[in-house]
Amino acid sequence: MIPRQFQITIALLLVGILISGIFIIKLTHKEQAKTQLEGEERPVAPPVGGKQEHVQVLVAYDDDRALRWREATVFMPEERSLRAKEALRAVLAQYLQNPSPHPLGKGADIKDVYLVNNSTVVVDTTSQFADGHPSGILPEELTLTSLIETLSANIPGITRVKFIVDGKERETLAGHADLMSFYEVAAVHELAKEFE
Amino acid sequence: MRWSKGLLVALAAIALLSCTLLLSLADPAKQFTIYTPQSSYSIEILDRQGQAYIGLMELLEPLGATGMRSGDSDWVLQLNKAEARFTEGKDKAKIRGNSIALSGNVLVENHRVLVPLNASFSILSSLLHKNIDFHPAGRRIFVDNAGIHFTSELKKGEKSSLLLNFSQPVNPSVNQEGNKSKLVFKREPLISDITNQPFDDKAIRSLNFSEDNGNATITITGDSALHVSLGSDGKTILVQVVQPPAPPVASVSPQAPAPQPSPAPSVAAQSSPTPEPPIGTQGHTPPAFLVMIDPSHGGDDRGAYLADKLDEKDLTLSVARKLKIELQDRGIAVRLLRDADINLSLEQRAEATNAQHAAVYVAIHAGVSGQEVRVYTSALTSPSVGAGQFLPWETAQASSLSRSQTLAQTISGELRKKDVQTALLTTPLRPLNNIIAPAVAIELSSDRSNTQDLVTQRVQNVVAAAVASGIAQVHSQIEAQK
């Protein structure tokens, strides 16, 4: 015969274990959801070295149809194509925060940046960047202009930029802005003046 | 041998003549005109299964019908809180809960619902609950007692004249055919109980009223060529006999006639033996000034998502059709790159525009970023470097860029005159860069919370009218330069 006090203690311990277990499971689910959300909405932290730098990024603001220079602090590597990639991701990070001045689709990111002859840049974006991009002449134009101008400001010497999506050419970003042509940086600079 | 050669030449000449004659006799496109007290518009008549059909949304959209959606084979639309349901393959529709006979089956082609032309009366009267007057022979229908009446008054004398008085301002096109003057009313709901009125006068013999292919025509027959002039208020037209000119003393090149001093603007004082057909119906001769309207997107490409059940592709087509009517009203030849919900690649749009030698290209777009109408030109800056007669595809627009900018500024000015918030911008939009002619893109934009504004007929009509005015101005400038 087990004494009564032992029975009560064991029962209390079991209840405590049960409550702790439920709490731990809930916490785990919450953390998993948070991690998943961050993974979808923001570019993954760059797995590169380099030192922390202040870079100028041109950010689009839909509400007042404007492009404004902002300063962002990012880890910038030495190699030019990696620097270009990090500068572009700094722009996207602005758009993927909540609230966003210029919302983009979840998972919008830069996969790679290729430098040809040190003057031509080919930017490879994720498919989510184009598939989830709001359709419209203005939002598409603002996105491309902000990215090209940011590239030009942080990677001196580039003259032409082309965008590909998931490694392939695509006709338009989201039905409007041309992705088949190479963008002349000088022409885009003039374009950006319309939104100052 | 010589005889057979001559015979061959004669046969070839006869064949050529016959072809020319057949082409000249070819029927113009069949159209159906709907008149309301506020406006009028014409839609295309299609021949299906030996019966005349019209597009249902083309008939009802200008009246404010919205929200057409489909189930498997059902199509439902709303007009002034009334609901109408059409089922593909059925010869009955349900309007305001009542079953209406359509005198033919409902057809669907590329998401475009077609109904028999003869059903237009029952559809409109059931939906609108207003008086409808249908003239099937003339392909005209009058909503809510829309109508312009006229009276005629003959003044006899040495120089007889006929004065026509209209209940509202009119602006007909005038064709001179020998001793007959034909006044063609394309937009005005002109009606008359009299079809033929003879006059007891040698100079002006008769007046005839007829309705055909969505138009009304007054034909005045005289003893010799007639001169037609429109009164300054647009409500009177004076028809007079032209004094026979003195015989020419020397050969004169067929230039435009010398201007005649007249306080009223002359509609058509020419008495050329072969009248010029209306622009846009000139058989196989391409018009000198053709406007190509591109209702962007279509088919699988829905464009921007504007609101519940409202895609950019549908709105662009609606605005494009309105712009077409506005331009036709101004006597400008116009074509739509698509007039149905079909797939059309960007290359195909540019190729068709360039192949037709369009004088102006206008792309229509819509979006949800700011409450304004934006007028875009290409963002190209570098001049196009061609090889001989060829232009690079990617920069074909460069040679027309300055004229595109002039056109955009003129359209923007017209929009401002109508109190429309507007912005002039450049864009890397496709296929602007591939168009040889002056090219602009018009984007109707609204805030996400006000997207219903874009659907309203008033907004679309104002934008279409302003864009058409801008194009007409540029057209006039080009004509003046010529």
Side-chain angles (χ1 to χ4, degrees), chain B residues 341-412:
Chain B
D341 190 17
I342 55 165
N343 287 311
L344 207 58
S345 75
L346 297 164
E347 269 77 18
Q348 283 174 323
R349 290 167 200 260
E351 280 167 15
T353 306
N354 293 338
Q356 295 282 331
H357 300 286
V360 165
Y361 167 86
V362 184
I364 308 292
H365 285 269
V368 281
S369 46
Q371 197 86 20
E372 60 186 358
V373 175
R374 292 185 278 268
V375 185
Y376 293 94
T377 52
S378 165
L380 280 174
T381 51
S382 56
S384 180
V385 182
Q389 292 184 341
F390 297 98
L391 288 171
W393 180 253
E394 296 301 334
T395 55
Q397 172 61 195
S399 56
S400 295
L401 201 54
S402 64
R403 285 180 292 151
S404 300
Q405 285 158 353
T406 306
L407 175 66
Q409 281 163 3
T410 312
I411 291 172
S412 181

Side-chain angles (χ1 to χ4, degrees), chain A residues 65 135-139 141 144 171-172 175-181 183 187 190-191 194-195, chain B residues 297 303-304 312 346-347 365 369 372 374 376 379 381 394 423 425-430 441 443:
Chain A
R65 202 211 313 137
S135 180
I137 300 177
L138 192 65
E141 184 175 352
L144 296 186
E171 277 208 318
T172 61
H176 300 89
D178 186 7
L179 288 195
M180 294 300 283
S181 308
Y183 281 90
E190 292 302 311
L191 200 64
E194 293 176 359
F195 303 108
Chain B
H297 311 288
E312 186 183 1
L346 297 164
E347 269 77 18
H365 285 269
S369 46
E372 60 186 358
R374 292 185 278 268
Y376 293 94
T381 51
E394 296 301 334
L425 297 166
T426 58
T427 180
L429 175 76
R430 292 199 72 196
E443 186 184 33

Side-chain angles (χ1 to χ4, degrees), chain B residues 95-403:
Chain B
I95 302 176
R96 290 182 187 266
N98 300 318
S99 182
I100 307 292
L102 298 176
S103 72
N105 290 342
V106 174
L107 305 177
V108 177
E109 293 177 357
N110 294 324
H111 300 282
R112 186 183 181 197
V113 180
L114 304 178
V115 292
L117 171 67
N118 288 336
S120 56
F121 173 77
S122 48
I123 291 171
L124 288 176
S125 54
S126 306
L127 261 176
L128 298 172
H129 274 181
K130 285 178 179 167
N131 185 38
I132 307 292
D133 186 11
F134 183 32
H135 298 190
R139 297 176 191 147
R140 305 171 84 209
I141 198 162
F142 302 81
V143 178
D144 199 13
N145 301 317
I148 296 178
H149 299 265
F150 72 97
T151 58
S152 61
E153 186 186 347
L154 182 72
K155 287 182 181 172
K156 288 185 183 179
E158 281 184 20
K159 195 180 173 186
S160 296
S161 63
L162 181 69
L163 185 67
L164 303 176
N165 282 296
F166 296 84
S167 57
Q168 286 175 42
V170 293
N171 187 20
S173 61
V174 181
N175 293 332
Q176 195 77 30
E177 293 176 9
N179 61 341
K180 285 184 179 177
S181 281
K182 282 192 172 181
L183 283 63
V184 182
F185 299 82
K186 291 177 181 170
R187 315 298 331 159
E188 298 91 343
L190 193 68
I191 44 178
S192 173
D193 296 329
I194 301 166
T195 53
N196 189 27
Q197 185 178 357
F199 296 116
D200 183 20
D201 185 73
K202 281 184 180 174
I204 298 175
R205 292 176 187 167
S206 66
L207 179 149
N208 183 276
F209 177 82
S210 61
E211 294 174 290
D212 181 46
N213 200 26
N215 298 326
T217 306
I218 295 177
T219 307
I220 300 146
T221 308
D223 188 43
S224 58
L226 300 167
H227 176 264
V228 179
S229 56
L230 180 67
S232 55
D233 62 352
K235 288 185 174 180
T236 56
I237 289 178
L238 185 66
V239 184
Q240 292 171 301
V241 177
V242 176
Q243 295 299 326
V249 289
S251 170
V252 181
S253 61
Q255 294 294 320
Q260 298 181 5
S262 167
S266 177
V267 182
Q270 299 97 323
S271 56
S272 55
T274 49
E276 190 178 301
I279 292 166
T281 57
Q282 295 176 347
H284 294 270
T285 312
F289 189 91
L290 171 70
V291 177
M292 190 64 89
I293 304 174
D294 183 359
S296 301
H297 311 288
D300 298 331
D301 174 11
R302 308 172 82 89
Y305 167 77
L306 302 176
D308 190 29
K309 297 187 184 76
L310 180 63
D311 290 323
E312 186 183 1
K313 65 172 183 176
D314 300 320
L315 192 77
T316 58
L317 185 56
S318 170
V319 176
R321 284 175 177 155
K322 286 182 170 58
L323 178 57
K324 182 185 177 186
I325 292 168
E326 289 286 345
L327 286 166
Q328 283 175 334
D329 282 352
R330 289 163 174 80
I332 294 173
V334 57
R335 281 195 189 129
L336 294 184
L337 272 172
R338 71 173 176 95
D339 200 6
D341 190 17
I342 55 165
N343 287 311
L344 207 58
S345 75
L346 297 164
E347 269 77 18
Q348 283 174 323
R349 290 167 200 260
E351 280 167 15
T353 306
N354 293 338
Q356 295 282 331
H357 300 286
V360 165
Y361 167 86
V362 184
I364 308 292
H365 285 269
V368 281
S369 46
Q371 197 86 20
E372 60 186 358
V373 175
R374 292 185 278 268
V375 185
Y376 293 94
T377 52
S378 165
L380 280 174
T381 51
S382 56
S384 180
V385 182
Q389 292 184 341
F390 297 98
L391 288 171
W393 180 253
E394 296 301 334
T395 55
Q397 172 61 195
S399 56
S400 295
L401 201 54
S402 64
R403 285 180 292 151

Side-chain angles (χ1 to χ4, degrees), chain A residues 107-152:
Chain A
D109 199 1
I110 306 298
K111 287 179 79 175
D112 272 309
V113 174
Y114 305 98
L115 231 70
V116 185
N117 298 331
N118 275 334
S119 60
T120 299
V121 174
V122 179
V123 180
D124 186 9
T125 70
T126 58
S127 56
Q128 294 96 318
F129 171 77
D131 294 341
H133 198 287
S135 180
I137 300 177
L138 192 65
E140 292 174 46
E141 184 175 352
L142 286 174
T143 300
L144 296 186
T145 307
S146 75
L147 291 175
I148 295 168
E149 282 289 275
T150 300
L151 266 180
S152 167

Side-chain angles (χ1 to χ4, degrees), chain B residues 30-45:
Chain B
K30 288 181 182 175
Q31 61 176 14
F32 179 54
T33 306
I34 300 99
Y35 303 94
T36 72
Q38 292 79 31
S39 65
S40 62
Y41 53 98
S42 297
I43 59 177
E44 188 187 4
I45 294 176

Side-chain angles (χ1 to χ4, degrees), chain B residues 54-77:
Chain B
I54 51 171
L56 182 65
M57 282 312 281
E58 290 160 40
L59 172 71
L60 298 175
E61 208 173 32
L63 300 171
T66 53
M68 197 155 181
R69 65 173 189 268
S70 71
D72 287 339
S73 56
D74 278 5
W75 297 77
V76 181
L77 61 86

